[in-house]
Amino acid sequence: MVDDEKLEITEAPEANILDLLIVLAKNKSTLIGAPISFAIISLGIAMLLPNIYTGTAKILPPQQSQSGSSALLGQLGALGGLAGASLGLKNPSDLYVGMLNSRTVSDNIIHRFDLKTVYETKTEADTRKVLTAVSNIIASKEGIIAIDVDDEDPKRAADLANAYVSELQKLTQTMAITEASQRRLFFENQLKIAKEGLTAAEVNLKNVQEKTGLLQLTGQAEAIIKAAAELKARIAGKEVEMGAMRSFATANNPEFVRSENELTGLRDQLKKMERGLNQGDGDVLVPTSKMPGAGLEYVRSVRDVKYYETIYELMAKQFEIAKIDEARQSSIVQVLDAAIVPDKKSKPRRLPIILAATFAGFLLSICIVFLREGIAAIKKDPKQNLRIQILKDRLKGRKVAQ
């Protein structure tokens, strides 16, 4: 064991630049040999790496814009403002990048090119991971989506990039992702409901005619019924519109307040018409006390038919406009640059690999040289040997003599 007091603590001599150069010159063989060895090894590894080619395709996704039918819809009745309130896409590029990275697109490409065999994977999940690793899909700030796919076969690299584009176009045909598609689905459902209501009203009118024997009304009565039915249809349309607006607008929204005031006005107008005609009795045409029961039942059946006819016409017009918009936007995914067979490899970049390995070898050799010189200097210095012995004793748990 070593006594701490026997050690005289002295400052180590400062090394100057000349001493460092002497050390480097003495070990010049190591400083030259190590980088050369690293360069040779990296060259061999780089030459063994297969050439990788990149197929690149660029597309322009649909940009968010107001549909040209919005102005036309405003002329069709109470539901005209609904199109203007349709939810649009906030960032179409991000949406389409997500679709390109979807499992549906990946699986279709995997089956199309039999990539499970090409990549020599056991499961589709593993194949999907490999395809994701060799594919790079990004959207630029200009909104252009670039699709890069790496492969050892240059033709397959181009084909895979183009396959992403074709699979995206197929997917957009089956999904309601544009404003027109969303609107078309909404009005298609509303049209179906209106058609069912009209059919039921027509069947009911037929049954009433067969039961009562009444076949037609006077021109004045028919006009009054038609006006009241159209007014009720407008009220129903406005209620549907406000129901849709509640999903994204608050009660203080100016558009919502305007629609609410319009609905109140329409209801007041219908109430005045019914009271004026029936003197407060609440039915269209003439007071119920002056109308036979059969006639009243017939009038109500005709009124229901007129009501559902008006609703059906409104929905049919807007549905047809949405279909036209959707057809116009069906090929909205525009291909700016189709992928072509690359004639130059993109990977590996052999020269940067060799240079990086050579530089790493040089740094490592410098560290080894100075470490080796330091250890040699410590072994030659008795005081440093005493310090090493004290360190060993303390690490082993021995007590150092005081």
Side-chain angles (χ1 to χ4, degrees), residues 369-389:
V369 165
F370 283 111
L371 180 62
R372 188 168 57 190
E373 289 293 325
I375 294 174
I378 290 174
K379 290 181 178 180
K380 292 179 182 179
D381 189 349
K383 294 180 180 180
Q384 299 297 335
N385 286 329
L386 288 175
R387 288 189 174 91
I388 294 174
Q389 186 61 44

Side-chain angles (χ1 to χ4, degrees), residues 52-122:
I52 302 298
Y53 299 87
T54 302
T56 302
K58 294 183 179 181
I59 62 174
L60 180 64
Q63 303 301 306
Q64 182 179 11
S65 61
Q66 185 177 10
S67 172
S69 65
S70 297
L72 295 176
L73 288 174
Q75 304 174 5
L76 294 179
L79 288 181
L82 183 59
S86 297
L87 297 178
L89 301 176
K90 293 183 178 180
N91 195 330
S93 297
D94 291 344
L95 173 63
Y96 279 79
V97 168
M99 293 175 63
L100 287 166
N101 287 318
S102 66
R103 180 176 56 83
T104 301
V105 171
S106 298
D107 289 348
N108 290 339
I109 294 177
I110 290 172
H111 298 153
R112 181 173 171 182
F113 292 91
D114 193 17
L115 294 182
K116 189 175 180 180
T117 301
V118 173
Y119 295 151
E120 298 179 354
T121 52
K122 295 182 179 180

Side-chain angles (χ1 to χ4, degrees), residues 266-278:
L266 291 173
R267 286 174 175 170
D268 292 341
Q269 186 178 354
L270 178 62
K271 187 180 296 184
K272 289 179 181 179
M273 179 181 291
E274 290 179 341
R275 288 179 177 176
L277 291 174
N278 298 313

Side-chain angles (χ1 to χ4, degrees), residues 288-344:
T288 55
S289 59
K290 298 181 181 180
M291 177 176 287
L296 178 60
E297 185 178 1
Y298 178 77
V299 167
R300 288 174 175 171
S301 299
V302 173
R303 179 190 59 193
D304 291 342
V305 171
K306 296 294 183 182
Y307 167 77
Y308 283 108
E309 281 180 350
T310 305
I311 288 290
Y312 184 81
E313 289 175 2
L314 287 173
M315 298 302 170
K317 289 178 180 178
Q318 298 187 60
F319 175 63
E320 290 300 325
I321 291 177
K323 283 173 56 179
I324 293 173
D325 282 346
E326 185 181 32
R328 180 171 55 84
Q329 297 180 5
S330 61
S331 58
I332 201 68
V333 178
Q334 304 178 59
V335 180
L336 296 182
D337 294 322
I340 59 175
V341 179
D343 54 3
K344 186 178 180 181

Side-chain angles (χ1 to χ4, degrees), residues 195-208:
K195 185 177 181 180
E196 292 175 353
L198 178 59
T199 301
E202 290 175 340
V203 171
N204 182 62
L205 176 60
K206 179 182 177 182
N207 294 335
V208 171

Side-chain angles (χ1 to χ4, degrees), residues 29-303:
S29 58
T30 302
L31 296 176
I32 296 175
I36 293 177
S37 299
F38 272 71
I40 294 174
I41 294 174
S42 63
L43 175 61
I45 295 175
M47 295 304 295
L48 292 176
L49 294 175
N51 291 334
I52 302 298
Y53 299 87
T54 302
T56 302
K58 294 183 179 181
I59 62 174
L60 180 64
Q63 303 301 306
Q64 182 179 11
S65 61
Q66 185 177 10
S67 172
S69 65
S70 297
L72 295 176
L73 288 174
Q75 304 174 5
L76 294 179
L79 288 181
L82 183 59
S86 297
L87 297 178
L89 301 176
K90 293 183 178 180
N91 195 330
S93 297
D94 291 344
L95 173 63
Y96 279 79
V97 168
M99 293 175 63
L100 287 166
N101 287 318
S102 66
R103 180 176 56 83
T104 301
V105 171
S106 298
D107 289 348
N108 290 339
I109 294 177
I110 290 172
H111 298 153
R112 181 173 171 182
F113 292 91
D114 193 17
L115 294 182
K116 189 175 180 180
T117 301
V118 173
Y119 295 151
E120 298 179 354
T121 52
K122 295 182 179 180
T123 64
E124 286 196 4
D126 294 335
T127 309
R128 201 177 299 121
K129 291 180 180 179
V130 176
L131 178 61
T132 302
V134 300
S135 302
N136 185 30
I137 304 173
I138 57 175
S140 67
K141 60 181 181 179
E142 292 82 8
I144 298 175
I145 298 177
I147 305 170
D148 297 332
V149 183
D150 297 334
D151 199 275
E152 297 179 15
D153 185 349
K155 184 177 183 305
R156 185 165 58 225
D159 291 342
L160 287 173
N162 289 327
Y164 269 105
V165 178
S166 62
E167 292 299 329
L168 175 63
Q169 290 174 334
K170 292 179 183 177
L171 192 59
T172 56
Q173 299 296 324
T174 59
M175 297 183 64
I177 57 176
T178 64
E179 177 194 357
S181 298
Q182 295 173 0
R183 197 170 60 251
R184 190 263 305 167
L185 288 177
F186 172 78
F187 286 119
E188 184 177 10
N189 183 55
Q190 294 297 318
L191 182 63
K192 182 179 179 181
I193 296 174
K195 185 177 181 180
E196 292 175 353
L198 178 59
T199 301
E202 290 175 340
V203 171
N204 182 62
L205 176 60
K206 179 182 177 182
N207 294 335
V208 171
Q209 287 176 332
E210 292 176 350
K211 182 174 66 174
T212 61
L214 297 175
L215 298 179
Q216 63 181 1
L217 298 174
T218 63
Q220 181 182 5
E222 186 176 2
I224 295 174
I225 291 176
K226 183 176 181 180
E230 289 180 353
L231 190 58
K232 284 192 174 183
R234 291 182 61 190
I235 292 174
K238 181 61 66 176
E239 290 174 346
V240 173
E241 177 186 352
M242 293 186 63
M245 291 180 65
R246 287 190 182 95
S247 63
F248 62 88
T250 63
N252 296 326
N253 184 282
E255 185 68 20
F256 184 83
V257 173
R258 184 186 64 81
S259 297
E260 190 174 26
N261 292 335
E262 290 181 3
L263 180 59
T264 302
L266 291 173
R267 286 174 175 170
D268 292 341
Q269 186 178 354
L270 178 62
K271 187 180 296 184
K272 289 179 181 179
M273 179 181 291
E274 290 179 341
R275 288 179 177 176
L277 291 174
N278 298 313
Q279 300 175 353
D281 196 61
D283 203 350
V284 180
L285 283 183
V286 295
T288 55
S289 59
K290 298 181 181 180
M291 177 176 287
L296 178 60
E297 185 178 1
Y298 178 77
V299 167
R300 288 174 175 171
S301 299
V302 173
R303 179 190 59 193

